[in-house]
Amino acid sequence: MVQVENYRPLYHFTPKEGWMNDPNGMVYNNGTYHLFYQHNPDEPKWGPMHWGHATSTDLVHWEEQKIALYPDSLGTIFSGSAVIDKDNTAGFGKDAMVAIFTHHNHKEEDKRTGLHQYQSLAYSLDQGKTWEKYKGNPVLPNPGIWDFRDPKVMWHEKSQAWIMTLATKDCITFYSSKNLKEWKMESSFGKENGAHGGVWECPDLFPMTDNGVTKWILLVSINPGGPNGGSATQYFVGDFDGKHFTTDDTQIKWLDWGTDNYAGVTWNNVKDRHLFIGWMSNWQYANEVPTLKWRSASTIPRELSLTSINKQYYVASKPAKEIENAFKISKTIAPKKVNEILLSDHLPTGFQLDISKLKVQDFKIILFNKEGNELTVGYNKAKDQYFINRSESGNISFSHDFPKKHVAPRLSKESQVDMNVFFDVTSVEFFADNGLSVMTDIFFPDSPMTHLKISSNAPLEYQNIIISEYKK
Ligand code: FRU
């Protein structure tokens, strides 16, 4: 049996100890990326939520900081966001870092009335090192909605107001404010749109531009009801005028078709970039995965972009260039017209596989070890679907929802596939066709995966295959 500590990834953020779920309060300031996260420091299980804190200057190396927000008399600290208040609209100080989060009250009487979640503020005047809770909390009391949480706040230039995008059970409610303290309800969206197999959580709203056309993207995480079971993130492409969000989307769109990218949102205060990180797990089994001291990792940072196919807009996800630059080429496999190629029999612990211009044909990329564990990433031409199969990937016994094959439609119509796959001890993230089809899955092999091969039912035709090793 593998030592559980060996499950810790090399280039994905994990808390040193304890539990982590959603990324929170992601904000960039003075050369530092801040990543806060849902955290239970006392146990590697979901419990009384705090905001953990990590910082990075390059989006690759993360330094865990002191816990930012502790539970208080109003409740534990659920998900939310952070902004830099450049104009001191809230009066906490110029350039204050302000966190807008959900207080979750466990008191029985509040649970009975359904008023147990409300939005509150905290601020930091020293770059996120120390925090004060606002004395007037909560700033947005509960109007009688059981699931009333996960505020994502942004500055809306046109209306010169802060906009809060809030998950309210089975829809999103938008609020506006001039000072972060008083909020006015503007509209709600979504009762008639998108997937509704579970509760809506952790939304995000931001504009993106493709060829001079600007669209507003609304991300909505949903649990359960994901396309391959459990939690997943859907999105809507539409317009937002400062009050209302509208969409032409009738098709349900998923940001990532794997089972392990949830509750992700984008960084605030980064100009012209849409940097995203998700929680790399799924509520179906997050509390059961076989790590001991800590539980859960974040996804790699991704850059989102707007792209269109046949007049339909989609959000593509690509690895952020910072993470791309953290790898060096260790092997190049020139074209060989054979049905199977052993790509490596001594894999680095963390690596990236790049396949360029692979003819659209059935293929399987198989990661394996001497125990006979296998993790397969592939494409099925008849179904026009990508897939990840982790049903024989090692330790699968902790949840009957875990050992499965997951599928994703191929959206691209190109005759060649480009595959960019990141492996890191216990995770696989692939970005096919320039990030149009994306899947993220975790797995727990009985010993490290050492071998990699690619196979097909016909001779493989490609331009190049490259294995790159994580540089540390
Ligand atoms: C999403 C979520 C959020 C909530 C947090 C609690 O994974 O359920 O809606 O704020 O986790 O930890």
Side-chain angles (χ1 to χ4, degrees):
M1 240 341 237
V2 69
Q3 279 183 345
V4 277
E5 190 59 13
N6 290 352
Y7 283 147
R8 202 186 277 279
L10 284 186
Y11 58 86
H12 288 80
F13 175 71
T14 51
K16 286 201 185 79
E17 286 189 358
W19 163 271
M20 172 172 82
N21 57 294
D22 316 351
N24 294 151
M26 289 139 76
V27 67
Y28 178 73
N29 199 28
N30 292 335
T32 299
Y33 293 92
H34 293 268
L35 168 66
F36 300 88
Y37 48 92
Q38 287 288 279
H39 185 41
N40 179 5
D42 300 322
E43 244 195 314
K45 279 212 174 287
W46 191 84
M49 284 294 113
H50 300 53
W51 272 28
H53 185 199
T55 54
S56 173
T57 51
D58 62 4
L59 288 171
V60 181
H61 302 91
W62 292 97
E63 232 176 274
E64 200 169 316
Q65 306 290 344
K66 285 198 300 225
I67 288 175
L69 301 177
Y70 284 83
D72 57 47
S73 62
L74 291 176
T76 57
I77 317 294
F78 269 22
S79 288
S81 50
V83 297
I84 304 300
D85 189 7
K86 293 179 181 143
D87 297 328
N88 195 16
T89 62
F92 298 136
K94 191 175 149 33
D95 293 325
M97 189 182 284
V98 183
I100 307 96
F101 61 90
T102 301
H103 257 128
H104 177 87
N105 192 340
H106 297 268
K107 279 190 211 139
E108 278 312 312
E109 68 263 28
D110 279 345
K111 273 197 202 155
R112 268 198 303 277
T113 54
L115 304 181
H116 68 152
Q117 296 181 344
Y118 27 79
Q119 320 320 318
S120 291
L121 302 180
Y123 58 93
S124 170
L125 302 175
D126 58 4
Q127 311 283 332
K129 284 191 194 74
T130 58
W131 289 84
E132 283 294 326
K133 303 249 179 58
Y134 171 50
K135 301 275 184 297
N137 282 341
V139 292
L140 180 57
N142 192 306
I145 302 171
W146 181 262
D147 296 292
F148 188 71
R149 58 178 181 263
D150 309 339
K152 179 82 198 285
V153 173
M154 60 162 300
W155 178 252
H156 188 249
E157 211 39 62
K158 242 194 193 148
S159 56
Q160 289 290 296
W162 298 104
I163 299 296
M164 180 196 291
T165 304
L166 192 70
T168 47
K169 193 179 165 203
D170 55 355
C171 64
I172 297 302
T173 306
F174 299 101
Y175 294 83
S176 69
S177 173
K178 295 286 181 197
N179 59 9
L180 294 169
K181 291 172 173 166
E182 291 146 296
W183 293 92
K184 175 174 175 252
M185 185 187 149
E186 295 292 356
S187 65
S188 64
F189 166 84
K191 278 195 198 286
E192 313 288 322
N193 307 75
H196 280 280
V199 65
W200 283 22
E201 302 184 312
C202 298
D204 194 2
L205 176 75
F206 49 88
M208 288 211 286
T209 301
D210 173 49
N211 279 323
V213 178
T214 297
K215 287 287 173 193
W216 283 78
I217 306 303
L218 178 64
L219 304 183
V220 177
S221 282
I222 168 174
N223 176 51
N228 282 293
S231 8
T233 302
Q234 60 181 325
Y235 67 89
F236 303 91
V237 181
D239 293 299
F240 181 71
D241 62 4
K243 291 181 186 298
H244 299 94
F245 179 83
T246 48
T247 182
D248 305 328
D249 279 349
T250 46
Q251 187 187 350
I252 296 174
K253 294 172 174 166
W254 300 99
L255 196 64
D256 185 320
W257 287 73
T259 46
D260 298 291
N261 176 4
Y262 191 60
V265 290
T266 58
W267 252 278
N268 273 337
N269 208 33
V270 278
K271 267 219 173 76
D272 305 328
R273 290 183 80 184
H274 303 284
L275 292 169
F276 169 100
I277 262 186
W279 170 45
M280 201 156 58
S281 197
N282 189 306
W283 282 118
Q284 281 186 327
Y285 42 72
N287 274 288
E288 271 77 49
V289 298
T291 55
L292 274 193
K293 267 170 55 185
W294 56 280
R295 270 207 181 86
S296 302
S298 304
T299 66
I300 55 166
R302 301 169 182 196
E303 181 127 19
L304 308 183
S305 58
L306 186 66
T307 176
S308 62
I309 307 171
N310 296 336
K311 302 204 174 117
Q312 265 286 339
Y313 282 104
Y314 293 94
V315 175
S317 303
K318 287 174 215 161
K321 63 176 187 300
E322 288 87 343
I323 190 90
E324 285 282 7
N325 294 340
F327 289 79
K328 63 168 188 292
I329 294 182
S330 58
K331 193 172 181 183
T332 303
I333 299 109
K336 281 187 203 166
K337 281 205 172 184
V338 292
N339 288 25
E340 181 166 305
I341 307 169
L342 180 66
L343 299 172
S344 176
D345 57 6
H346 57 281
L347 287 168
T349 314
F351 69 98
Q352 204 191 125
L353 175 74
D354 261 302
I355 306 179
S356 47
K357 297 203 189 325
L358 176 63
K359 192 181 120 193
V360 176
Q361 64 187 82
D362 284 358
F363 67 85
K364 285 182 180 169
I365 299 162
I366 307 173
L367 184 69
F368 60 105
N369 62 13
K370 60 180 187 314
E371 330 284 338
N373 302 155
E374 272 188 18
L375 185 280
T376 308
V377 172
Y379 173 71
N380 178 323
K381 190 171 177 200
K383 295 187 173 159
D384 200 17
Q385 277 176 343
Y386 292 105
F387 63 87
I388 297 179
N389 190 345
R390 65 178 175 194
S391 55
E392 290 174 38
S393 57
N395 187 344
I396 49 169
S397 60
F398 54 88
S399 161
H400 60 85
D401 289 318
F402 194 80
K404 297 231 162 110
K405 178 178 174 179
H406 303 137
V407 300
R410 180 170 193 249
L411 299 180
S412 170
K413 306 287 174 242
E414 303 287 320
S415 60
Q416 288 168 323
V417 172
D418 279 309
M419 278 299 260
N420 188 196
V421 197
F422 286 75
F423 292 100
D424 191 5
V425 189
T426 46
S427 64
V428 56
E429 296 163 273
F430 82 70
F431 305 85
D433 310 311
N434 272 317
L436 266 177
S437 294
V438 178
M439 293 184 91
T440 304
D441 270 22
I442 53 174
F443 57 94
F444 300 92
D446 295 319
S447 71
M449 296 294 207
T450 45
H451 288 59
L452 188 70
K453 68 180 178 192
I454 180 166
S455 67
S456 180
N457 47 11
L460 289 155
E461 285 181 45
Y462 60 91
Q463 191 182 60
N464 216 353
I465 299 182
I466 297 172
I467 295 178
S468 311
E469 183 173 358
Y470 176 61
K471 284 192 293 206
K472 303 221 162 68

